[in-house]
Amino acid sequence: MTTYDLTATPLREVNTALHAPELEGDITIVNPFGAHNVAVGLNAPVKVTVEGHVGYYAAGMNQQAEIVIDGNAGTGVAENMMSGTVVVKGNASQSAGATAHGGLLVVEGDAAARCGISMKGVDIVVGGNVGHSSAFMAQAGRLVVRGDAGDGLGDSIYETRIYVRGTVASLGADCVAKEMGPEHLEELTGLLKAAGFTEDDPASYTRYGSARSLYHFHVDNTGAY
Amino acid sequence: MSTDTWGLRESATFDRGAIAAIQRAAETGIYDIRGWGAKRALPHFDDLLFLGASMSRYPLEGYREKCGTDVVLGGRNAKYPLHLDTPVTIAGMSFGALSGRAKEALGRGASEVGTSTTTGDGGMTPEERGQSKHLVYQYLPSRYGMNPDDLRKADAIEVVLGQGAKPGGGGMLLGQKISERVAGMRTLPQGIDQRSASRHPDWTGPDDLAIKIAELREITDWEKPIYVKVGATRTYYDTKLAVHSGADVVVVDGMQGGTAATQDVFIEHVGIPTLAAVPQAVQALQELGVHRQAEGGVQLIVSGGIRTGADVAKAMALGADAVAIGTAALIALGDNDPKYAAEYEKIGSAAGFYDDFQDGRDPAGITTQDPELAARFDPVEGGRRLANYLRVLTMEAQTIARACGKAHLTHLEPEDLVAVTIEAAAMARVPLAGTSWIPGQGGF
Amino acid sequence: MCGIVGLHLRNPDLHPRLGELLSGMLCEMQDRGADSAGVAVYGDPTWTPPGHGAVSLLDVTATAEEVAAAVTEELGSPVAVKVLDATYLLTAAAESEALLAAARAAVPDALVAGFGADLAVLKGVGHPRTLSDSWGLAGAQGWQGVGHTRMATESAVTPSGAHPYAVGVDQCLVHNGSFSNHATIRRELRAAGVEFDSENDTEVGARFVAHQLAQGKDVEVALKELCATFDGFYTLLVSNRDSFAVVRDAIACKPAVIAETDDWVAMASEFRALAHLPGVESARIWEPEPEVIYAWTRSTEGASA
């Protein structure tokens, strides 16, 4: 177990160490005090635990690593993640999982606005609520919200599938409720399980996705712009 | 036309172009989308002239009396700045907008003369990385294809806020060009019209950009220069804010800068001419003490309507460290070649006028994803043509610089220039020829 | 372009530490802007003795003694002047508006940075840490403070360019973001007789709110009006002698985080500015929702949102 104290070691040194080729084992980072860019650009099958709240872009562009943030995360946690797992024990600020291509992001608390914005294949599971404009321009991947979703959910959505257990304040352009088939229930069950939520009844969720009516510019759709 | 029509008078306000635009809108119910940059006449580098050597200044001879053209970009923070042999670089153009072969040709040509190419909205292709000796990787609002592996493979990273053709707008690629390969790279369904974000998804404003630039540096271990690109609007403020956010290089793209697909009204009516932007950017860098500094300097790359070595020399005289070419590079590759005259006519255009890049039916095979059309384009031949053109640009600029007595292109200065119009004098902040008058000085 | 911070102390036992805590918060935001900074402190007994009116001036060329003499003469009662870096802090046993009128008459070329009972507004050019030291901020006391760190864009980095804009009695406004239609609103306010000191977009927001308040509306209504009138992305912190309010625009791209304990309420652009506040480990921490006004007043418990 390697421990880095961000009050003693400069962030740049910590990130450089975490980029070492053939990195192995478990790593703990303490005293982040809201620092930005903690554990960004990792590319190794290691486990990193951050004890405390982090600022922006924690675990940004993560590959392979399992990163647990024992606290809250600022803007853009796990942004552009490619693979691996990121777990936020507390709440996440805006743009959680932004543009991420793969892996799993779990926010056990609430995520704020723009959760999953422009997501490109990541799976995001939020234990609580998500804020407005979540899944904006979401292209691929799955978003699960155990709580409520704010205004404009899935505005301009492409092929991402969204599952919400609570209420949706309003749906964005071209985002509609869709039927839950057995394959969706199975998918949702798998996602919840992967995120550590096993008591939910998947049938209590509503599925949302693209109506695909904005896939080609058409004069009749101008009201949506 | 018979003399019956001599009495007809065209309206300057509702001319044929305006009438056609209204008719088209009434017919289709959708705005006109096209490629290319602003086509209208604007104050530009043509309105500036160099004061060559005479009695008071002495020229350099060619060949032995060297005129240097090298430039170092991004030395401020990066472990590995870019060392280029010529200040003419290739601007960002996407694979998607262009065919894979066109991107390959750009890489070939640029590498042959020791300069850089830039990826576009859609990510990095192996062809371009394979051919390009110096590759700048764009970081755009859409983040299509963005990934850390390519980030690490890049030689520089260009954070794009906007481009000259559409400052405030995002990328656009219509369904006919979202081929299987393009769709795969961009994580989009094949054949649909791409909708694009105009803002970045996880930061807005220079204060948050500073944190994002720090993130990109941390991910790439501070190896690569970070460029910040803006379309020319409030260029003075934008340049200052880019520097404050941490940019190592600032890229300013004037309204003549091209695009592969944007609304015509956006191209023609938003953004300012390159000529009006350059002095603003230079002033901003000078006030911050980072212009042309060997240590800790921030370099300026200017694009938007660079066509000849005279344009290159003028941009540098005004204070640019380098320029970028987009439209001109495509023309060098073979875009708008008269040999395809019959084909242009078939698709309702003509050689020298063709700007319907959004359609993806380019007879030259450059701005298309159609495999048959794309196959017409030979990337090796294209690379050779581009290299030729880049050499000509460089030599033309050197010729002019030597005529002004300069041993390096960066030794050109605003005092080597005069303007032939009042607008150009005001925008470029150089005197009207034959006078010492610079309109507009006293406020900027 | 900016970092903003605000601290509202509920527990009087913490009042002696206001300056120390505010200074820490301010310096933590220096990465968001390090060209200039400003703070407003409510209730420091040395800076603004109780029962006295206070006026903060910038761009003063005369000495403290000269200013004191001139304003004393104008007011007709003794005026004390303290110089804290670029700010001249005037105090007198009089209503702050009377002191303000006297200061304007006696030192007409000075810029008024703020005025009120118990309000000291300090603004300056330079690094937030340097400014904080030269103000002696860490030793200040009081019940409430706001601060701003600025990433300057204008060629002349001036003290008056920093926030807070304190354009009404005891009022302060700090702003992170950028309005986009303020030029028109400035013209409208000018037509209504409001005078401006700068071309700064934040000043338009501040004077708009002050104008609303001067018409008898309360701060929540004023901020609702602002949200309805202004385009742009903004997080605003508006403080008054007895209130502390936070609001974000509808799109809410600019950051904001609020933390609350029984002892204090704090707001900042980034969590790390709050990370060292006493008791933050058990604070309720949240992000304000768009266009919801979160306000705390000195006399009531809890937030009205």
Side-chain angles (χ1 to χ4, degrees), chain A residues 17 36 42 57 62 67 74 83 89 107 117 173-174 181 185 200 202 210:
Chain A
H36 303 308
L42 265 61
Y57 312 135
N62 183 45
I67 302 175
S83 61
K89 296 289 208 185
V107 177
I117 179 172
D174 215 35
L185 292 168
D200 295 358
S210 179

Side-chain angles (χ1 to χ4, degrees), chain C residues 184-262:
Chain C
T184 301
I185 298 164
R186 184 191 297 121
R187 274 190 287 279
E188 289 166 0
L189 287 170
R190 276 200 177 117
V194 176
E195 287 182 18
F196 286 78
D197 295 324
S198 74
E199 289 300 296
N200 196 305
D201 64 331
T202 303
E203 186 184 0
V204 182
R207 294 205 183 264
F208 180 92
V209 171
H211 191 63
Q212 298 277 314
L213 295 175
Q215 288 168 11
K217 299 179 193 165
D218 68 32
V219 74
E220 292 196 35
V221 172
L223 289 176
K224 279 202 176 74
E225 272 303 302
L226 183 147
C227 288
T229 310
F230 283 73
D231 283 339
F233 297 166
Y234 50 88
T235 297
L236 297 177
L237 170 55
V238 177
S239 66
N240 225 314
R241 196 164 183 282
D242 295 317
S243 71
F244 182 90
V246 177
V247 68
R248 291 166 100 179
D249 70 280
I251 298 174
C253 280
K254 297 312 292 178
V257 59
I258 302 178
E260 182 178 17
T261 70
D262 291 338

